[in-house]
Amino acid sequence: MGGQSGKWMILVATIWIQAFTGTNFDFSSYSSDLKSVLGISQVQLNYLSMASDMGKALGWCSGVSLLYLPMWVVIFIAASMGFFGYGLQWLVIRKFISLPYFLVVILCLLGGCSICWFNTVCHVLCIKNFPTSLPLALSLSVSFNGVSAALYTLIANAINPNDDTLYLLLNALVPLFASTLTLIPILLRRLPLQPINSADSAIHHDSLIFLILYILAAFTGVYLLFLNSISSILHRAHLLLLGAIILLLLPLCLPVIAYAREWSSPSVHYTSRLKNSSFIDPEADELHKELIGKDTAAAAATCPTTYEVPVIEKEGCFGKVIMEKDRLTSLGEEHRAGLLIHRLDFWLYFVSYFCGGTLGLVYSNNLGQISESLGYTSHTSSLVMLYSLCSFFGRLLSAAPDFLHDKVYFARTGWLAVALLPVPMALFSLAASGSEVALHAGTALIGLSSGFVFSAAVSITSELFGPNSAGINHNILITNIPIGSLFYGLVAAIVYDSNEGSSGLDQSLLKEATVCIGRKCYWQTFMWWGCFSLLGLGSSFLLFIRTRPAYDRSERNNRCVPPPSSSDNQILLCTS
């Protein structure tokens, strides 16, 4: 399968992979059962959660593997790690086998690695097939990772609504089945055949299809958000699961329509010579290069080639030094790892992510104990689903800067700062009130914020520190996830364990494991987390102020576009 139909089929395949491999979102659904069976403390349970997130620190392994191994082999390795990592945990939680604690930690690490490997495969597929629409393709694909918890809840309710241990079994089997199914279009995919037509027309056509896919994705999220709450009855769960599968199959209509158009339209011609990873007519390619050269020369003559960044004297107040030290002058400059860690912008970005997206992920990992301590144990699955779906909508919203670019321009780092605003609001509200309404509202706000950060981070890393180095640089950035999982989780676990002795429960029922009941279990944790989120918000604002001139300069250069006339002496105009 090649041409336009092939690339859209690949995008549908990445959507399916992401939708069924976000297994880290349902940890809270079975964490209490796992804690009880293993007889461990909250601190030890936090180490299991951290081990799952540690897979992010090993993400570079998947990238290296793709350099030397076929795509299908890397997908099979990812599925195998998840199968053994989650499958053996399911045997432990069902008491079929008994394993020491350190082996369970390794199994959690395996499960976390499988998620990272799947994500890398999806990123590479989007990069290869959508070079001109990469932010939109990545955002759409990554967004569906947020519906995993809702889909798993539907499947679990369709089998047995009262068995929380099913999540581990589903985590082992569903990604294996989904990845095997998606191997078909990946293996059949040939190199893209590019039609000899207007690039602007092709980009406009792609944008229209992306808009349709985003509308369909939003409808899927709304469907899962509002109907999942009534899926606890077995026959309803069956019907709702069937509806969700149909919604996931609907995007297949687009590659089918594109494939039909390729065969039915006589006006679209393809050549058979490989050039620059695509089949392009050599003569047309040379003409295109000549025109590009002329347009570039005209642009140099009519458009400003420099956009001076205002410089503030470094002598003086400390604030001026912070705002001007090693300031980026343009977007897309390549930064090697050695240079990256010496840039102040990177560390502001690192702190923003650490105190925003990572904090939201740790919150989701603790949802099981949070809902249990507040007396809403029966709501754990619905809270996990709510966080997952709001994360999904947050990831979809990360595409807003690209859709609104022509009408409303705002630096992507500015969108990042706006996205971090709900986190301190939600955490301080949770600290002030332990009501059910506050819990659901706070979970939704944190899910929206963290989802936006997770999806937008890939594009921000590419823009600030270079697209060619984005793979390595982004893996350096997300090392903050296991660090944050350990740090934030340890803070929560220490506070939890220090209060559980006063809960007045019969602890013999849980062997060595204990349960803390009451607002005191997480009140201090929410306060501490809220303070750290304010630090992240401040860092994101400083990053926006420092990088805004570089974004403005890039936008000024990008608005140098050819006029619509077909005059022989065509020049480029700079639009304001």
Side-chain angles (χ1 to χ4, degrees):
M1 181 179 291
Q4 296 294 312
S5 60
K7 74 175 187 179
W8 294 114
M9 188 67 238
I10 289 295
L11 183 61
V12 174
T14 62
I15 287 173
W16 290 347
I17 292 175
Q18 291 283 4
F20 290 105
T21 58
T23 51
N24 56 329
F25 284 105
D26 60 12
F27 177 79
S28 295
S29 297
Y30 59 84
S31 59
S32 296
D33 291 328
L34 190 63
K35 177 182 177 182
S36 175
V37 170
L38 295 176
I40 57 178
S41 66
Q42 186 68 19
V43 172
Q44 290 173 305
L45 183 67
N46 176 68
Y47 291 148
L48 296 182
S49 173
M50 183 207 67
S52 178
D53 294 332
M54 187 65 72
K56 307 294 189 302
L58 302 176
W60 58 271
C61 298
S62 55
V64 173
S65 299
L66 283 170
L67 296 177
Y68 301 100
L69 298 174
M71 181 78 70
W72 68 269
V73 174
V74 177
I75 293 178
F76 178 75
I77 292 173
S80 299
M81 287 191 295
F83 178 76
F84 287 105
Y86 291 113
L88 291 177
Q89 286 185 73
W90 179 76
L91 293 176
V92 169
I93 205 170
R94 293 303 299 266
K95 301 182 180 179
F96 291 125
I97 62 174
S98 178
L99 295 176
Y101 174 75
F102 78 92
L103 283 182
V104 179
V105 172
I106 294 176
L107 294 178
C108 290
L109 178 62
L110 267 181
C113 283
S114 70
I115 302 168
C116 191
W117 281 54
F118 278 126
N119 290 341
T120 302
V121 167
C122 293
H123 292 167
V124 170
L125 287 173
C126 289
I127 290 170
K128 286 185 176 180
N129 290 275
F130 295 93
T132 59
S133 308
L134 184 58
L136 292 175
L138 279 176
S139 177
L140 181 68
S141 173
V142 172
S143 295
F144 275 86
N145 199 245
V147 304
S148 295
L151 289 173
Y152 278 47
T153 299
L154 273 179
I155 299 172
N157 288 340
I159 300 173
N160 185 356
N162 300 316
D163 187 3
D164 290 337
T165 64
L166 270 176
Y167 286 93
L168 276 171
L169 182 60
L170 294 175
N171 286 354
L173 297 179
V174 173
L176 181 62
F177 174 77
S179 58
T180 302
L181 183 64
T182 55
L183 277 177
I184 299 174
I186 292 174
L187 292 176
L188 291 178
R189 171 66 166 151
R190 300 194 300 268
L191 289 173
L193 295 170
Q194 299 292 341
I196 303 174
N197 58 5
S198 171
D200 291 338
S201 176
I203 293 174
H204 176 73
H205 180 261
D206 284 1
S207 299
L208 181 61
I209 295 180
F210 272 116
L211 181 60
I212 296 173
L213 287 173
Y214 270 90
I215 293 174
L216 182 59
F219 182 79
T220 303
V222 171
Y223 172 87
L224 292 172
L225 178 63
F226 289 103
L227 298 182
N228 222 321
S229 58
I230 62 173
S231 66
S232 56
I233 300 176
L234 197 61
H235 72 276
R236 288 181 182 174
H238 291 156
L239 293 175
L240 293 175
L241 179 60
L242 178 62
I245 293 175
I246 292 174
L247 286 174
L248 289 176
L249 290 175
L250 277 179
L252 274 177
C253 296
L254 291 174
V256 171
I257 294 173
Y259 187 72
R261 288 184 60 189
E262 288 169 10
W263 283 100
S264 63
S265 177
S267 62
V268 180
H269 302 283
Y270 298 95
T271 63
S272 59
R273 293 190 60 184
L274 177 64
K275 190 177 180 75
N276 294 330
S277 301
S278 60
F279 292 94
I280 306 176
D281 182 20
E283 295 182 2
D285 186 48
E286 291 300 323
L287 178 61
H288 178 68
K289 288 182 177 179
E290 183 179 352
L291 291 175
I292 289 293
K294 291 180 179 179
D295 287 348
T296 304
T302 59
C303 295
T305 57
T306 59
Y307 180 69
E308 296 297 333
V309 178
V311 177
I312 302 175
E313 292 296 329
K314 293 186 178 181
E315 292 90 2
C317 70
F318 177 74
K320 292 183 179 180
V321 176
I322 290 295
M323 294 310 303
E324 300 303 323
K325 181 182 179 182
D326 296 330
R327 193 171 189 170
L328 286 175
T329 57
S330 62
L331 299 182
E333 293 181 358
E334 296 296 334
H335 288 66
R336 299 186 305 274
L339 176 62
L340 183 75
I341 61 176
H342 288 92
R343 296 302 296 259
L344 177 59
D345 291 313
F346 170 74
W347 290 111
L348 289 173
Y349 184 31
F350 188 94
V351 173
S352 301
Y353 197 110
F354 180 80
C355 298
T358 298
L359 183 54
L361 184 61
V362 175
Y363 173 84
S364 72
N365 289 338
N366 281 267
L367 265 177
Q369 281 65 52
I370 292 173
S371 59
E372 185 179 51
S373 65
L374 294 176
Y376 306 119
T377 305
S378 60
H379 296 186
T380 299
S381 296
S382 63
L383 286 169
V384 171
M385 179 206 69
L386 178 63
Y387 175 88
S388 173
L389 287 175
C390 288
S391 174
F392 166 73
F393 286 114
R395 293 166 194 244
L396 284 182
L397 285 173
S398 69
D402 299 286
F403 280 115
L404 301 176
H405 182 269
D406 293 335
K407 296 181 179 179
V408 179
Y409 171 70
F410 195 48
R412 206 179 298 269
T413 49
W415 287 98
L416 175 67
V418 173
L420 291 179
L421 273 173
V423 181
M425 295 168 53
L427 290 171
F428 288 128
S429 296
L430 286 167
S433 172
S435 67
E436 183 180 348
V437 174
L439 181 59
H440 281 80
T443 300
L445 288 174
I446 294 173
L448 278 171
S449 176
S450 57
F452 190 103
V453 173
F454 293 149
S455 183
V458 179
S459 298
I460 294 175
T461 303
S462 176
E463 290 172 347
L464 294 185
F465 309 115
N468 296 331
S469 307
I472 297 175
N473 292 342
H474 193 67
N475 279 318
I476 294 175
L477 170 71
I478 62 176
T479 54
N480 73 76
I481 293 180
I483 297 172
S485 182
L486 175 62
F487 176 72
Y488 294 128
L490 197 59
V491 169
I494 291 174
V495 173
Y496 184 95
D497 285 342
S498 65
N499 286 287
E500 62 188 0
S502 59
S503 60
L505 297 177
D506 184 4
Q507 310 298 346
S508 62
L509 295 176
L510 298 177
K511 299 180 181 179
E512 298 176 8
T514 52
V515 177
C516 180
I517 300 296
R519 283 184 56 200
K520 61 183 179 299
C521 305
Y522 277 93
W523 179 83
Q524 294 182 46
T525 299
F526 290 146
M527 292 299 296
W528 280 107
W529 285 358
C531 293
F532 283 115
S533 68
L534 287 176
L535 175 62
L537 179 62
S539 297
S540 66
F541 182 73
L542 287 177
L543 178 67
F544 166 59
I545 296 298
R546 284 176 53 86
T547 57
R548 184 172 58 179
Y551 274 96
D552 290 344
R553 178 181 180 180
S554 176
E555 178 65 12
R556 185 181 179 89
N557 292 336
N558 288 338
R559 288 189 178 274
C560 295
V561 296
S565 65
S566 57
S567 171
D568 293 335
N569 299 321
Q570 196 176 63
I571 61 173
L572 297 184
L573 300 179
C574 295
T575 60
S576 59

